[in-house]
Amino acid sequence: MNLEKLFQMQKKLDARILAEHPVKENEDRLSKKILALHVELGELANEWQQFKYWKANNEPRTKKLIDCPDCNGKGVISFHNINVHMECDRCNYTGKINKNPMLEEYIDSLHFILSIGNDIDYRPVKPKVIKTSTIIDQFHELFYLVTDLRFCINDGEAMIRKYLDIFEHFLGLGEMLGFTWEDITVAYLDKNKVNHQRQESGY
């Protein structure tokens, strides 16, 4: 688990976002990140969807076909400057790849967790993995902890404790949802790249 690499990558992305979208006068950027984390956790729960007792099919959404980002859905990669085309290995020349919507939302949440950690100058070195008895309880605990973090903003010591608690419960949630650290790392690297591209395109 190479956390420091992810924290550093997030720091670079945040610096780029800050350059494109400077903090406005009286803006509480940290408070906005905490709210964004709430939203992303909600979107993760929505993809997990097993709390939706009113649905006949409430199985977690883990597969979705999308256009391959390497070849833009064409199955081949073109190098126009030298007039060369080669088959795309990533999608096996089909132009489509499988994405895991639930993992994507987990990674979006991770981006904000890392960003908040950078903002408060804290990086868990060897975090524990904390799990409650059910995934429902794990979500409830995380929502509670993230809300509590908002009310610790002016108390650095309490904020560090609460942040670590969030981080460790978040890792626990990842395991409960079936994600390996390799899954998480690969998906984070992919999404981080997409987020940089979004800044280039004026997202």
Side-chain angles (χ1 to χ4, degrees):
M1 184 184 292
N2 188 352
L3 286 175
E4 187 56 34
K5 178 182 178 182
L6 301 192
F7 274 106
Q8 289 304 321
M9 289 181 71
Q10 187 63 43
K11 196 170 191 174
K12 285 180 184 173
L13 176 61
D14 285 343
R16 186 166 191 180
I17 292 170
L18 185 61
E20 295 290 328
H21 307 279
V23 175
K24 296 172 184 163
E25 189 176 351
N26 298 321
E27 179 186 356
D28 186 347
R29 185 68 59 100
L30 181 56
S31 185
K32 287 182 176 179
K33 288 180 183 183
I34 292 169
L35 177 57
L37 177 54
H38 266 297
V39 171
E40 294 301 343
L41 286 170
E43 290 180 1
L44 171 59
N46 196 48
E47 295 298 341
W48 173 64
Q49 71 170 355
Q50 290 199 296
F51 68 92
K52 298 179 183 179
Y53 59 87
W54 59 90
K55 284 185 71 177
N57 178 10
N58 65 0
E59 288 303 305
R61 289 192 278 252
T62 58
K63 286 189 178 176
K64 180 182 177 185
L65 268 183
I66 64 164
D67 283 346
C68 174
D70 287 1
C71 65
N72 294 318
K74 295 176 183 168
V76 294
I77 300 172
S78 302
F79 301 92
H80 298 293
N81 54 335
I82 53 174
N83 201 24
V84 171
H85 308 282
M86 67 182 222
E87 294 174 327
C88 180
D89 289 332
R90 183 169 184 177
C91 64
N92 212 15
Y93 332 128
T94 64
K96 299 286 182 186
I97 60 168
N98 258 317
K99 273 288 185 186
N100 182 334
M102 195 169 70
L103 178 58
E104 287 228 335
E105 296 302 342
Y106 185 85
I107 295 308
D108 287 346
S109 301
L110 179 60
H111 271 81
F112 285 107
I113 288 176
L114 295 171
S115 185
I116 292 165
N118 282 330
D119 283 357
I120 65 173
D121 295 319
Y122 186 69
R123 291 164 174 73
V125 182
K126 290 185 178 175
K128 296 179 290 184
V129 173
I130 299 177
K131 294 187 244 186
T132 56
S133 55
T134 68
I135 293 175
I136 292 272
D137 285 343
Q138 195 79 1
F139 272 112
H140 279 305
E141 189 66 18
L142 271 165
F143 280 117
Y144 167 76
L145 292 169
V146 174
T147 298
D148 219 20
L149 184 68
R150 170 67 185 88
F151 297 104
C152 298
I153 281 183
N154 297 317
D155 182 345
E157 219 173 277
M159 193 155 198
I160 294 290
R161 283 196 308 272
K162 193 63 63 179
Y163 175 78
L164 180 58
D165 218 2
I166 290 168
F167 203 98
E168 293 176 336
H169 278 83
F170 186 70
L171 292 178
L173 178 63
E175 283 193 9
M176 293 170 89
L177 294 174
F179 305 141
T180 66
W181 184 249
E182 185 183 356
D183 294 335
I184 292 166
T185 303
V186 168
Y188 178 85
L189 296 178
D190 279 351
K191 190 59 185 278
N192 191 268
K193 183 179 173 185
V194 168
N195 286 337
H196 276 287
Q197 289 167 346
R198 285 175 170 175
Q199 290 307 304
E200 285 168 16
S201 63
Y203 180 73

